[in-house]
Amino acid sequence: MSLEAVLSAVEARVTPDEAERARFEEVAGELRERTLSALSELDVEGDVVLVGSTARGTWLSGDRDIDMFVRLPPETDRSELVQYGLTIGHEVLPDGREEYAEHPYVKGTYEGFDVDLVPCYDVEDAEHIQSAVDRTPFHSTYLEENLDDELARDVRLAKRFLKGIGAYGSDLRTRGFSGYLTELLICEYDGFVPLVEAAAEWHPPVELDPEDHGRETFTDPLVVIDPTDPERNVAAVLSAENLARFQHYSRELLEDPREELFFPPEREPISAAELRAHVRQRRTTPVAVVFEAPDIVDDQLWPQLRRTLGGVIDGLDDHGFDVFRADTFVEETAGPADEQGRAVLFIELASPTVPAVSRHVGPPVSVRSHAEGFYEKYAERSGRDDGDQDRLYGPFLVEDRYMVERPREFTDASEYLRSEALLEVRTGAQIEDALEERTVLVGDEVDGLVESFGRDLAAYFDPRP
Amino acid sequence: MSLEAVLSAVEARVTPDEAERARFEEVAGELRERTLSALSELDVEGDVVLVGSTARGTWLSGDRDIDMFVRLPPETDRSELVQYGLTIGHEVLPDGREEYAEHPYVKGTYEGFDVDLVPCYDVEDAEHIQSAVDRTPFHSTYLEENLDDELARDVRLAKRFLKGIGAYGSDLRTRGFSGYLTELLICEYDGFVPLVEAAAEWHPPVELDPEDHGRETFTDPLVVIDPTDPERNVAAVLSAENLARFQHYSRELLEDPREELFFPPEREPISAAELRAHVRQRRTTPVAVVFEAPDIVDDQLWPQLRRTLGGVIDGLDDHGFDVFRADTFVEETAGPADEQGRAVLFIELASPTVPAVSRHVGPPVSVRSHAEGFYEKYAERSGRDDGDQDRLYGPFLVEDRYMVERPREFTDASEYLRSEALLEVRTGAQIEDALEERTVLVGDEVDGLVESFGRDLAAYFDPRP
């Protein structure tokens, strides 16, 4: 299949049809009316703007998100702004619940659409924002001016492609391409095909500045200076891995165009038997630390989870255990965004045990005071003849230094993971408590994870770019 | 016990009594006569010099070594020199056999003494030597001039001390202090106690130049410029470890003087039960590579053995096995110096196995030609769905690079040690063949070593400075 044919097929699947567009226009119009009416009831000066992909016609068929911003005068007190926002939100969205970005806002459903109703300040330009969300209307305006219908089609192709390869979304779980970043890239390269052709050849760091007004230096692998704010890199959240992923699949698309890249088949969850077969084949020892994730939104949870995983890996390493590979998963829940299920730190060890002694290098013998201090400290503990279970070997000499082989605190990784000592590792602030009530699974016990984490484990044991 | 009392007690044990001295004088006189007579029979111009500690009265009571040098004119052809030396040697020592230093010489026994009869060139000074052994008579002359009776006593104390701590001997097995070096140090520091007091405070590199005529720069930890040759470091063979050992025990002697440091009790060989108890306690996996050592002298064997041990450790490491500690031993034989018994590479592993896959980092995705080459090579081998036993995982992404988990060639250390692949490691030249006929012992099988290597293993599991 040619690239053109693939893109046409994808286009057909992602372009909203007339009915979908009409339905959106109708609902968006109603919401605007309801919001304006709520605003006037409160007797507050302000206006309502529709932002996001639906506003610009770049949404993918089937997406049902409406982002409605209520702009209030910049001199409004922040607590008042929040209060107005919540009042209007609950008025417009009777089933709405409060969520939290930089400040609280109301999220709800209306006529089958997911609606965010967000209050912001009506500032002069994006450089003078008072709240992070104030920037959004400027983005919308910029894109409305720069995207024509043809580019809107290419934005949809790009978004679908990034979703297909798992690199779409600037949330802190994904650390991928935001919608705004995708749209800017399409503008900058003037279409989807030129963008993937360029990406296939990128040598990060890649720096783009559509308005040629950047003033700051960034260390991110992809830098796209916000056309509405010279001090902001729109791609700041994008991870090096997702950038590499985009480059990899851009080449795949050009070399072997196929619809599957845009719509990959969902992975089958792994079975317990498959999991065991992998472990047998790899001859590693899987361990899992399972705990109730704190009820915080993903953007708060995921950085903390990664930090905790890193802390536990370092802790294992400090105790001599060799971590082969590791990942962290969270159970999906049907509830609100801040309702979390169980979290897992899944760790593959090269070996479940380490020697009961570790080598500890002392000072050079020639540095007399240090050397004597070291020697005396350990010579005293040296369990030479007492058959002590926690025997220390040495001190002896290795080249010009003293060396001892000290008893280790833990020789089994599972012992360490279940011990109080684990709580000394660096963790996410809100994970520390959760970790106290953990379950540790070792070896075949990890079978128990397949029910809730079958897809995560399938991806773990069949890793792809 | 005071230091003085300890030294007096040691002195009493190491000083030859009148009878021993008289006996030595008598035998040495006879040997000289026999040698001069053999020389005149051959009608060769030359003289005979007694060298070494017996010549200088610095031998330890009980030592029965006589070193007799036959000095021949410097214009003598080397093959002639060797021939004269061997003829005289066999004449003087009827039970003598030929040994090899820089050139062959005869070693034999005479009236209960071990006698070396070595031909050398009668050169003008030590800087103009034609053979390494030519230097020896100059050393003897220098020390005869510089050592009085009191210093001779201190040389005996120093030698006994160095023997006691295991740092005496410039052979390549020991890499310790030679007799000549010991005597020079006693001269330089004017006695044994001042020497150990200085050694306790040394900060290597330590540089001594008794004749103040050194011209070269050395990188050795202890440099003692030969008083008879400004270009030679007498301590060149001394290892950093033996220097540190001397410093350590010098402090011990000063802080807690005891005769035991000069005459340590011999270690008891380890029993199989003790060996197992250590292994159980340490939770390591012992392995041993056992082979017939080639019949070469210790000075040739030991550097090759150490090189081979290093090669095998690196080989294990390259294959992912974590070596905890290792050593090499050689079985003692009663035969001549170049008759060797079995050799052992004794290696303690942290774990007997490693995962069946190893992580292999590829190029950054952005380096397109390399990245594509890497990806294609491995994507093809990726055993994604074929249930292959030698399955490759990936390629996948870690940050901006590709990564694969490749099947390992060996997952059991014993498999590797028994394989042809082991012969690819760096070995001693004359050990390579011997290694082909090796036996590999794993875990409890190393019990079989205690009979021949019980003392070595006792030292291994009770390491001291």
Side-chain angles (χ1 to χ4, degrees):
Chain A
M1 218 168 163
S2 73
L3 179 56
E4 287 68 32
V6 168
L7 298 185
S8 296
V10 173
E11 184 185 355
R13 293 171 71 173
V14 299
T15 310
D17 63 15
E18 256 333 293
E20 187 174 344
R21 284 176 194 274
R23 179 72 186 135
F24 163 73
E25 295 294 346
E26 186 186 337
V27 173
E30 276 176 31
L31 277 167
R32 167 188 286 275
E33 286 312 310
R34 289 173 67 90
T35 308
L36 284 170
S37 132
L39 200 55
S40 67
E41 262 171 50
L42 282 175
D43 199 18
V44 180
E45 207 184 324
D47 69 352
V48 175
V49 279
L50 199 59
V51 298
S53 60
T54 33
R56 311 192 273 276
T58 57
W59 83 91
L60 303 191
S61 173
D63 285 355
R64 300 178 78 79
D65 296 311
I66 293 178
D67 296 326
M68 190 84 71
F69 274 49
V70 177
R71 276 199 296 213
L72 300 171
E75 60 276 8
T76 313
D77 197 73
R78 182 171 282 242
S79 64
E80 266 185 329
L81 175 113
V82 168
Q83 200 42 62
Y84 290 144
L86 294 177
T87 306
I88 296 167
H90 287 300
E91 176 82 24
V92 174
L93 303 165
D95 74 343
R97 59 171 189 272
E98 292 173 21
E99 297 248 333
Y100 200 92
E102 187 171 314
H103 52 63
Y105 66 97
V106 174
K107 191 180 188 80
T109 56
Y110 186 83
E111 299 279 336
F113 285 79
D114 292 318
V115 185
D116 282 3
L117 209 153
V118 181
C120 72
Y121 288 106
D122 188 6
V123 294
E124 202 146 316
D125 58 56
E127 283 187 71
H128 294 87
I129 58 166
Q130 296 180 44
S131 166
V133 295
D134 299 349
R135 212 181 264 120
T136 307
F138 293 98
H139 294 168
S140 239
T141 307
Y142 179 85
L143 291 171
E144 277 159 28
E145 285 164 8
N146 286 275
L147 284 173
D148 58 21
D149 282 354
E150 205 167 321
L151 287 181
R153 163 208 179 251
D154 281 25
V155 166
R156 279 190 293 267
L157 292 175
K159 283 184 182 176
R160 188 58 249 174
F161 183 67
L162 289 165
K163 283 191 180 186
I165 68 173
Y168 186 75
S170 60
D171 59 282
L172 297 185
R173 174 178 187 162
T174 310
R175 295 183 293 189
F177 293 76
S178 68
Y180 180 50
L181 173 59
T182 309
E183 292 175 288
L184 286 180
L185 287 171
I186 290 295
C187 289
E188 184 68 6
Y189 286 95
D190 203 26
F192 176 62
V193 173
L195 169 62
V196 298
E197 281 171 347
E201 300 287 355
W202 276 345
H203 292 282
V206 173
E207 298 191 11
L208 303 171
D209 186 358
E211 290 299 305
D212 203 16
H213 66 172
R215 301 187 285 244
E216 306 240 349
T217 308
F218 297 91
T219 56
D220 307 301
L222 176 63
V223 177
V224 180
I225 304 296
D226 192 337
T228 73
D229 182 350
E231 296 185 6
R232 182 171 173 265
N233 173 19
V234 179
V237 161
L238 179 67
S239 67
E241 193 168 304
N242 274 322
L243 177 55
R245 181 164 284 125
F246 181 50
Q247 293 197 261
H248 170 82
Y249 283 107
S250 290
R251 292 177 196 153
E252 284 278 302
L253 179 64
L254 295 170
E255 282 159 29
D256 180 15
R258 52 201 197 275
E259 216 175 320
E260 188 193 285
L261 296 172
F262 295 82
F263 295 99
E266 204 180 2
R267 278 179 200 269
E268 289 300 312
I270 205 168
S271 69
E274 286 166 334
L275 175 57
R276 286 199 184 199
H278 279 293
V279 169
R280 260 201 314 281
Q281 186 156 59
R282 292 162 72 83
R283 291 187 74 160
T284 53
T285 302
V287 295
V289 179
V290 187
F291 54 94
E292 289 296 329
D295 285 333
I296 50 182
V297 295
D298 279 6
D299 271 4
Q300 290 179 284
L301 178 62
W302 278 88
Q304 293 192 37
L305 269 184
R306 291 200 183 98
R307 186 179 159 80
T308 305
L309 180 63
V312 170
I313 289 172
D314 288 352
L316 284 163
D317 192 62
D318 289 347
H319 285 83
F321 300 100
D322 186 3
V323 173
F324 187 78
R325 183 145 63 89
D327 205 350
T328 179
F329 318 132
V330 180
E331 203 170 21
E332 304 238 341
T333 61
D338 65 354
E339 184 185 299
Q340 301 288 356
R342 286 179 305 158
V344 177
L345 311 178
F346 185 80
I347 298 165
E348 246 185 317
L349 296 168
S351 168
T353 60
V354 286
V357 275
S358 68
R359 288 164 76 79
H360 176 56
V361 179
V365 173
S366 58
V367 184
R368 183 164 185 172
S369 63
H370 284 129
E372 287 188 330
F374 182 91
Y375 181 78
E376 278 156 26
K377 172 178 171 189
Y378 287 110
E380 201 177 292
R381 279 180 55 192
S382 189
R384 217 155 261 171
D385 300 300
D386 61 1
D388 181 359
Q389 272 306 303
D390 283 340
R391 180 167 170 161
L392 182 134
Y393 289 79
F396 55 102
L397 296 173
V398 172
E399 308 229 319
D400 63 338
R401 287 176 181 269
Y402 288 120
M403 166 84 87
V404 288
E405 292 166 356
R406 294 188 296 195
R408 278 196 185 279
E409 200 179 346
F410 301 101
T411 60
D412 277 281
S414 58
E415 248 179 84
Y416 169 63
L417 293 172
R418 290 189 178 110
S419 75
E420 284 290 305
L422 185 74
L423 299 171
E424 289 160 26
V425 305
R426 121 185 136 260
T427 58
Q430 286 151 292
I431 287 183
E432 208 173 330
D433 286 349
L435 208 54
E436 290 205 24
E437 302 293 315
R438 68 196 174 280
T439 307
V440 175
L441 308 175
V442 179
D444 289 346
E445 292 169 3
V446 301
D447 285 5
L449 298 174
V450 300
E451 202 178 323
S452 296
F453 304 97
R455 283 207 168 76
D456 294 312
L457 287 166
Y460 182 92
F461 284 109
D462 179 13
R464 304 172 191 170
Chain B
M1 219 168 161
S2 74
L3 180 56
E4 288 68 31
V6 168
L7 298 185
S8 296
V10 173
E11 185 185 355
R13 292 172 74 173
V14 298
T15 310
D17 62 16
E18 254 336 293
E20 187 174 344
R21 282 177 196 274
R23 180 69 187 138
F24 164 73
E25 294 295 345
E26 189 187 336
V27 174
E30 275 175 34
L31 278 168
R32 168 186 286 274
E33 286 312 311
R34 288 173 68 91
T35 309
L36 285 169
S37 136
L39 199 55
S40 66
E41 261 172 52
L42 283 175
D43 199 19
V44 180
E45 210 184 323
D47 68 350
V48 175
V49 279
L50 199 61
V51 297
S53 59
T54 34
R56 308 192 277 276
T58 57
W59 82 91
L60 302 190
S61 174
D63 285 356
R64 299 179 78 80
D65 296 311
I66 294 178
D67 297 325
M68 189 85 71
F69 274 48
V70 178
R71 275 197 298 210
L72 299 172
E75 59 277 10
T76 314
D77 197 74
R78 182 172 282 241
S79 64
E80 267 185 324
L81 176 113
V82 168
Q83 200 43 61
Y84 290 144
L86 294 177
T87 306
I88 297 167
H90 287 301
E91 175 81 22
V92 173
L93 303 165
D95 74 341
R97 59 170 190 273
E98 291 174 19
E99 297 247 331
Y100 200 94
E102 187 171 313
H103 51 64
Y105 67 96
V106 173
K107 191 180 187 84
T109 57
Y110 185 82
E111 299 279 335
F113 283 80
D114 293 318
V115 184
D116 283 3
L117 208 153
V118 181
C120 73
Y121 289 106
D122 188 6
V123 295
E124 203 145 318
D125 58 55
E127 282 188 70
H128 294 88
I129 58 165
Q130 296 180 43
S131 165
V133 295
D134 301 348
R135 211 181 264 121
T136 307
F138 293 98
H139 295 168
S140 239
T141 307
Y142 179 84
L143 292 170
E144 278 159 27
E145 285 165 8
N146 286 277
L147 285 172
D148 58 20
D149 283 355
E150 206 168 320
L151 289 182
R153 163 207 179 252
D154 281 24
V155 166
R156 280 190 292 268
L157 293 175
K159 283 185 182 175
R160 187 59 248 172
F161 183 66
L162 289 165
K163 283 190 180 188
I165 68 173
Y168 187 73
S170 60
D171 59 282
L172 298 185
R173 175 179 187 163
T174 310
R175 296 183 293 188
F177 294 74
S178 67
Y180 181 50
L181 173 59
T182 309
E183 293 175 288
L184 287 180
L185 289 170
I186 291 296
C187 289
E188 184 68 6
Y189 286 97
D190 203 26
F192 176 62
V193 173
L195 169 61
V196 299
E197 282 170 348
E201 300 286 355
W202 276 346
H203 293 283
V206 173
E207 298 191 9
L208 304 172
D209 186 358
E211 290 299 304
D212 204 16
H213 65 173
R215 303 186 285 243
E216 308 239 348
T217 309
F218 296 92
T219 56
D220 306 300
L222 175 62
V223 178
V224 180
I225 302 297
D226 191 338
T228 74
D229 182 349
E231 295 185 4
R232 181 169 173 265
N233 173 19
V234 180
V237 161
L238 180 69
S239 67
E241 193 168 305
N242 273 322
L243 178 56
R245 181 164 285 125
F246 181 51
Q247 294 197 262
H248 171 81
Y249 283 108
S250 290
R251 292 176 197 153
E252 285 278 301
L253 179 65
L254 296 170
E255 281 159 28
D256 181 14
R258 52 201 196 276
E259 218 175 318
E260 188 192 286
L261 296 172
F262 295 82
F263 295 99
E266 205 182 0
R267 278 179 200 270
E268 289 299 312
I270 204 169
S271 68
E274 286 165 336
L275 175 56
R276 286 198 184 198
H278 278 294
V279 170
R280 260 200 315 279
Q281 186 157 59
R282 292 162 72 81
R283 291 187 75 160
T284 54
T285 302
V287 294
V289 179
V290 187
F291 54 95
E292 289 296 329
D295 285 334
I296 50 180
V297 296
D298 279 7
D299 271 4
Q300 291 181 284
L301 179 62
W302 278 88
Q304 293 192 38
L305 270 183
R306 292 201 182 96
R307 185 178 160 80
T308 305
L309 180 63
V312 170
I313 290 171
D314 288 353
L316 283 163
D317 192 63
D318 290 346
H319 285 83
F321 299 100
D322 186 1
V323 173
F324 187 76
R325 182 145 63 90
D327 206 350
T328 177
F329 318 131
V330 180
E331 203 170 20
E332 303 238 341
T333 62
D338 65 352
E339 184 185 300
Q340 301 287 358
R342 288 179 303 160
V344 177
L345 309 177
F346 185 80
I347 298 164
E348 248 185 314
L349 296 168
S351 168
T353 59
V354 286
V357 276
S358 68
R359 288 164 75 80
H360 176 57
V361 179
V365 173
S366 58
V367 183
R368 185 165 184 173
S369 62
H370 284 129
E372 288 187 331
F374 182 92
Y375 182 77
E376 279 157 25
K377 173 179 170 186
Y378 286 110
E380 202 178 290
R381 281 180 54 193
S382 190
R384 215 155 259 170
D385 299 301
D386 61 1
D388 181 359
Q389 270 307 301
D390 282 339
R391 181 168 170 159
L392 183 135
Y393 290 79
F396 55 103
L397 296 173
V398 172
E399 311 232 317
D400 62 338
R401 286 175 182 270
Y402 287 120
M403 167 82 87
V404 288
E405 292 165 354
R406 295 188 296 194
R408 276 196 188 279
E409 200 179 345
F410 301 102
T411 60
D412 278 281
S414 58
E415 246 180 86
Y416 168 64
L417 293 172
R418 291 189 177 110
S419 75
E420 284 290 305
L422 185 73
L423 299 170
E424 289 161 26
V425 306
R426 121 184 136 260
T427 58
Q430 287 151 293
I431 286 183
E432 209 174 330
D433 286 349
L435 210 54
E436 289 205 22
E437 300 294 314
R438 67 198 176 277
T439 307
V440 175
L441 308 175
V442 179
D444 289 346
E445 292 169 2
V446 301
D447 286 6
L449 298 174
V450 300
E451 202 178 322
S452 297
F453 304 97
R455 284 206 167 78
D456 295 312
L457 288 166
Y460 183 92
F461 285 110
D462 180 13
R464 305 172 191 169

